[in-house]
Amino acid sequence: MFLSRMRLRPGAAGNREFWQMVGSEYQAHHMVWDLFTDGPDRERDFLYRVEENEGMPTIYSVCEREPVNRGGMWTIETKLYDPALRTGQQLAFVLRANPVRTKCDEKGKHHRHDVVMEAKTRLKQQGRPREEWPPEPEIVQQAGFAWLAMKGEANGFSVAEGDVRADGYIQRRFRKRKGRHEISISTLDYTGILTVADPERFKAALYNGIGPAKGFGCGMMMVRPAVR
């Protein structure tokens, strides 16, 4: 696998077409896709994460292939990515995720439920007056941590609540270029320290991502050695 960092070249910042491309998550997806696609039948085989520094985007990506700078707008740095992992190892991490749970209705149809909205619905069902609800950041932290801990069990790592911060909760809505239906996703930003429980499963999670909405910049976990 390859790990890449793609920084926008200073001259490209004045390109009006570029800023039109990053107008929504769907457009940003196409912007990143242009760096990896090599034909109309290619399926997405990469993860990515977009960060902003002083208003300028930097894209990080994990992929089986090296990105190609077709538009000439990026400075691309790529290296082989084969992290050495061991059981019990502690790593600092960042992750932008789409924290949802999938449930079946009475007809067997699957539905995804945003865990933060689900937590608020439970408070309503308990009959608690709004003014007695925990502060929004506390709801986000508790619901977000519970989701990540569950994902950790399936992906070869564990987390302790005191070591994880879940914030930056945003609900996003946009349409595909020719789509009739609105797409709605929510995102949460995680930072913290995790413990590797199963190196092989965790490496698979680093390569394949965590949770849904990977096509919209979610699920790529970036790690480095933890310093306590």
Side-chain angles (χ1 to χ4, degrees):
M1 299 294 281
F2 295 97
L3 179 65
S4 299
R5 180 173 67 178
M6 292 156 273
R7 291 179 291 181
L8 189 66
R9 288 181 174 168
N15 186 330
R16 186 175 178 181
E17 291 182 358
F18 168 78
W19 294 109
Q20 289 174 340
M21 282 194 296
V22 296
S24 75
E25 276 72 13
Y26 183 69
Q27 291 164 316
H29 163 83
H30 274 275
M31 174 185 71
V32 179
W33 179 255
D34 285 341
L35 297 165
F36 289 98
T37 186
D38 54 7
D41 298 327
R42 170 67 73 177
E43 295 186 356
R44 185 186 58 77
D45 59 355
F46 59 87
L47 301 172
Y48 73 97
R49 170 185 174 86
V50 179
E51 293 185 358
E52 281 193 15
N53 183 15
E54 298 180 348
M56 302 294 284
T58 297
I59 303 168
Y60 295 91
S61 180
V62 173
C63 188
E64 295 180 9
R65 298 167 293 116
E66 295 187 59
V68 178
N69 192 7
R70 293 186 179 82
M73 293 190 297
W74 302 92
T75 298
I76 300 177
E77 302 163 88
T78 297
K79 62 181 180 182
L80 289 173
Y81 187 45
D82 184 17
L85 303 170
R86 66 179 187 280
T87 302
Q89 183 180 15
Q90 291 199 315
L91 298 169
F93 72 93
V94 296
L95 168 69
R96 176 163 294 156
N98 173 219
V100 295
R101 298 183 199 277
T102 301
K103 296 181 179 179
C104 279
D105 62 19
E106 61 277 4
K107 297 180 180 178
K109 190 173 181 179
H110 290 82
H111 299 274
R112 288 178 174 175
H113 297 266
D114 174 331
V115 297
V116 174
M117 294 306 296
E118 196 175 50
K120 291 180 178 179
T121 298
R122 278 198 300 273
L123 290 169
K124 287 180 185 176
Q125 291 172 340
Q126 291 166 3
R128 294 180 63 177
R130 189 97 183 192
E131 58 271 19
E132 293 181 9
W133 288 14
E136 172 90 4
E138 188 175 323
I139 296 173
V140 169
Q141 172 70 24
Q142 291 179 355
F145 174 78
W147 181 86
L148 185 65
M150 177 189 67
K151 288 295 178 183
E153 291 178 5
N155 289 285
F157 68 92
S158 63
V159 286
E161 188 160 12
D163 289 337
V164 174
R165 179 175 176 179
D167 59 11
Y169 174 71
I170 299 176
Q171 292 178 309
R172 305 165 191 266
R173 291 183 174 81
F174 51 92
R175 293 180 187 275
K176 292 185 178 181
R177 193 171 295 169
K178 297 180 181 179
R180 298 173 54 189
H181 303 293
E182 192 175 61
I183 296 173
S184 176
I185 65 170
S186 58
T187 59
L188 256 182
D189 288 328
Y190 293 93
T191 56
I193 294 175
L194 60 79
T195 302
V196 178
D198 183 323
E200 288 305 312
R201 275 197 293 163
F202 183 56
K203 183 178 286 189
L206 293 177
Y207 289 170
N208 300 315
I210 296 170
K214 299 181 184 73
F216 298 112
C218 296
M220 178 179 166
M221 179 178 276
M222 297 174 65
V223 298
R224 58 180 171 78
V227 178
R228 292 280 192 177

